[in-house]
């Protein structure tokens, strides 16, 4: 069994890579990761350098971890800026670090892929041994697994990685027959609020477009909306380049759905769009943009249209993206998400471990408080 770094997915046939990640999760697909690479969203001067860890047996690819060398902490969402600043104050090097993650995609999913029949425990032991040896050489200053699934997180902590928590919000389809059925589960105040918000968008032309229905003109307008929102919010045009969007259009049409709003007076003018991916039993909300800020339209395209789609398609979950307590008010339940970390030994090590434990306690309390604030009816109502 040999372990090797790969600096491009072009070095691996698509079929060999995808055989390691069955199950429909779209963001580990060879095609998705390659769109980011070939479109210039990563590599080059982006501060993300492809550094996938692969495991081989008799020249057959048997396991892999999608990974990246990072020269900053942007685009990760399980952020470590406070730790980076502490390193800077102590005049300690923090970068490069290696992360097992999907760029710009804070979505829980597989981070270790392997062929059916392989022993995951043995593979993970070999992988963590290889990684910690790299850490000891001083080539890396930390190892970070971002948003792995719970069982992999547990296995990593058993091997000495430090646990970190995050809270996100997930909508669960409780066998609703239609959107009205979902509304009936909410308390009257929230139900009226949602109906009011949807009514505010009633004069717009709301359209659902599957990936194969999106024309080149549609994609240009989706990109325009995305970039306009990022420029207003962050002063740059977004993490995903135009070239990556265009490659997604051709390579990932089978799992893409866009919820868009058009101006009825100018039917060709897209005003806003939410680009989602479907995989397995889940809809994933990923990229949102609008030519002008509009909270009601944001709620309509990013939440309500997706909820309707999940009900119609029989999907179980709607993962609408990171952050946002406003999701809680619309029935998205708080859920724990995970990170697993290993740092080179420094005078800050004990403080970092203590910080993670305090953060865990805070987030556990927050999770409990958020669960109480969910707008679903109690049994007495």
């Amino acid at each position: 069994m040999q372990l090797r770094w790969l600096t491009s997915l072009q070095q691996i046939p698509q079929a060999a890579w995808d055989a390691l990640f069955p199950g429909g999760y779209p963001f580990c697909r060879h095609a998705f990761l390659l769109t980011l690479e070939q479109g210039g969203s990563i590599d080059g001067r982006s501060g993300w350098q492809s550094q996938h860890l692969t495991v081989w047996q008799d020249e057959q690819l048997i396991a892999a971890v999608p990974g990246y060398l990072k020269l900053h902490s942007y685009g990760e969402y399980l952020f470590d800026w406070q730790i980076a600043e502490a390193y800077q104050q102590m005049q300690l090097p923090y970068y490069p670090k290696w992360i097992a993650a999907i760029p710009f995609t804070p979505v829980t999913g597989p981070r270790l892929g392997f062929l059916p029949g392989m022993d995951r425990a043995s593979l993970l032991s070999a992988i963590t041994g290889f990684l910690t040896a790299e850490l000891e050489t001083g080539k890396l200053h930390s190892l970070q697994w971002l948003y792995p699934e719970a069982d992999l997180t547990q296995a990593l902590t058993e091997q000495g990685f430090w646990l970190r928590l995050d809270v996100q919000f997930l909508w669960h389809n409780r066998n609703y027959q239609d959107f009205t059925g979902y509304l009936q589960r909410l308390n009257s105040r929230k139900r009226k609020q949602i109906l009011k918000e949807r009514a505010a968008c009633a004069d717009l032309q709301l359209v659902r477009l599957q990936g194969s229905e999106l024309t080149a003109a549609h994609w240009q307008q989706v990109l325009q909306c995305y970039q306009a929102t990022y420029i207003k919010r962050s002063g740059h045009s977004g993490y995903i380049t135009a070239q990556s969007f265009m490659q997604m259009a051709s390579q990932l049409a089978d799992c893409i759905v866009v919820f868009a709003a058009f101006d009825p007076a100018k039917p060709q003018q897209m005003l806003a769009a939410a680009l989602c991916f479907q995989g397995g039993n889940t809809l994933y909300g990923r990229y949102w943009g609008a030519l002008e800020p509009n909270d009601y339209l944001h709620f309509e395209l990013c939440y309500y249209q997706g909820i309707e789609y999940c009900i119609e398609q029989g999907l179980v979950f709607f993962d609408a993206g990171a952050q946002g307590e406003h999701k809680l008010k619309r029935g998205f339940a708080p859920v724990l998400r995970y990170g697993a970390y290993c740092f080179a030994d420094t005078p800050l090590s004990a403080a970092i471990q203590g910080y993670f434990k305090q953060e865990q306690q805070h987030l556990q309390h927050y999770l409990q408080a958020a669960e109480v604030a969910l707008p679903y009816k109690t049994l007495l109502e």
Side-chain angles (χ1 to χ4, degrees):
M1 194 162 61
Q2 296 180 327
L3 285 84
R4 305 174 193 164
W5 293 118
L6 292 184
T7 58
S8 172
L9 276 185
Q10 294 182 78
Q11 298 169 267
I12 296 287
Q14 179 173 330
W17 179 273
D18 286 346
L20 309 178
F21 295 96
Y25 180 77
F27 306 115
C28 282
R29 285 176 57 175
H30 188 279
F32 179 82
L33 296 172
L34 197 60
T35 64
L36 301 179
E37 180 182 318
Q38 292 185 329
S41 298
I42 59 171
D43 297 329
R45 298 181 180 179
S46 68
W48 294 75
Q49 176 61 53
S50 298
Q51 190 87 329
H52 309 298
L53 184 54
T54 57
V55 186
W56 302 78
Q57 194 169 60
D58 299 325
E59 294 306 309
Q60 181 185 19
L61 180 67
I62 61 171
V65 180
Y68 300 86
L69 283 181
K70 288 297 302 296
L71 302 177
H72 54 61
S73 295
Y74 292 102
E76 297 171 12
Y77 296 90
L78 194 53
F79 291 118
D80 59 0
W81 289 115
Q82 288 179 304
I83 301 170
E85 289 171 5
Y87 269 68
Q88 186 178 26
Q89 291 172 5
M90 293 284 289
Q91 297 184 330
L92 296 170
Y94 192 66
Y95 305 105
K97 61 183 182 179
W98 180 81
I99 66 171
I102 309 302
F104 325 117
T105 309
V107 177
T108 293
R111 296 295 180 264
L112 168 59
F114 52 92
L115 289 179
M118 301 301 299
D119 180 56
R120 191 188 73 167
S122 298
L123 289 169
L124 187 60
S125 179
I127 286 168
T128 55
F130 178 88
L131 289 170
T132 52
E134 290 282 285
L135 197 66
E136 290 167 3
T137 66
K139 297 176 184 176
L140 303 171
H141 301 291
S142 69
L143 311 167
Q144 305 182 9
W145 297 68
L146 307 184
Y147 299 103
E149 294 168 316
D151 58 344
L152 178 56
T153 304
Q154 176 65 29
L156 287 165
T157 58
E158 290 171 357
Q159 297 199 27
F161 281 70
W162 296 346
L163 174 67
R164 194 172 177 204
L165 300 182
D166 189 18
V167 172
Q168 294 183 344
F169 299 91
L170 185 71
W171 184 84
H172 186 190
N173 184 358
R174 303 183 185 282
N175 298 314
Y176 301 120
Q177 297 303 304
D178 50 31
F179 194 85
T180 299
Y182 149 70
L183 286 179
Q184 291 302 317
R185 284 291 308 275
L186 304 179
N187 62 50
S188 60
R189 186 167 65 88
K190 293 301 180 186
R191 186 164 61 247
K192 291 176 182 177
Q193 178 184 340
I194 290 173
L195 289 171
K196 178 182 176 181
E197 290 170 354
R198 299 205 79 180
C201 301
D203 59 340
L204 299 175
Q205 183 182 359
L206 304 177
V207 178
R208 177 193 303 170
L209 297 164
Q210 301 289 153
S212 58
E213 299 170 328
L214 289 155
T215 66
H218 286 141
W219 276 106
Q220 284 297 134
Q221 293 190 79
V222 169
L223 176 63
Q224 183 183 14
C225 291
Y226 170 80
Q227 291 181 336
T229 295
Y230 256 98
I231 288 170
K232 289 188 176 97
R233 183 173 64 193
S234 305
H236 62 83
S237 59
Y239 292 119
I240 311 300
T241 66
Q243 294 85 351
S244 289
F245 268 113
M246 293 305 109
Q247 290 203 22
M248 288 179 192
S250 62
Q251 300 299 316
L252 295 158
D254 61 313
C255 63
I256 285 176
V257 57
V258 169
F259 305 110
F262 290 83
D263 183 349
K266 301 176 182 177
Q268 303 304 313
Q269 179 61 59
M270 187 181 292
L271 301 175
L275 192 157
C276 302
F277 289 79
Q278 181 178 337
N281 63 1
T282 304
L283 180 69
Y284 300 94
R286 294 309 317 131
Y287 312 124
W288 150 260
L291 299 185
E292 296 294 337
N294 185 326
D295 284 345
Y296 289 153
L297 193 52
H298 176 258
F299 299 149
E300 177 64 36
L301 297 184
C302 291
Y303 306 139
Y304 306 141
Q305 290 285 324
I307 288 171
E308 281 192 327
Y309 181 84
C310 288
I311 294 170
E312 291 176 16
Q313 299 297 317
L315 301 180
V316 179
F317 300 109
F318 181 19
D319 185 333
Q323 305 168 343
E325 287 190 346
H326 45 273
K327 298 186 184 75
L328 183 67
K329 299 175 182 178
R330 290 154 183 87
F332 288 77
V335 291
L336 285 178
R337 301 306 195 197
Y338 307 99
Y341 292 69
C342 183
F343 294 86
D345 189 34
T346 72
L348 287 171
S349 295
I352 294 170
Q353 193 170 19
Y355 167 70
F356 283 177
K357 289 180 179 178
Q358 288 182 349
E359 185 182 53
Q360 288 173 38
Q361 293 173 357
H362 167 74
L363 288 173
Q364 290 281 9
H365 291 312
Y366 174 75
L367 180 79
Q368 294 171 7
E371 287 174 341
V372 172
L374 278 168
Y376 293 105
K377 294 178 182 177
T378 66
L379 294 176
L380 298 177
E381 289 184 272

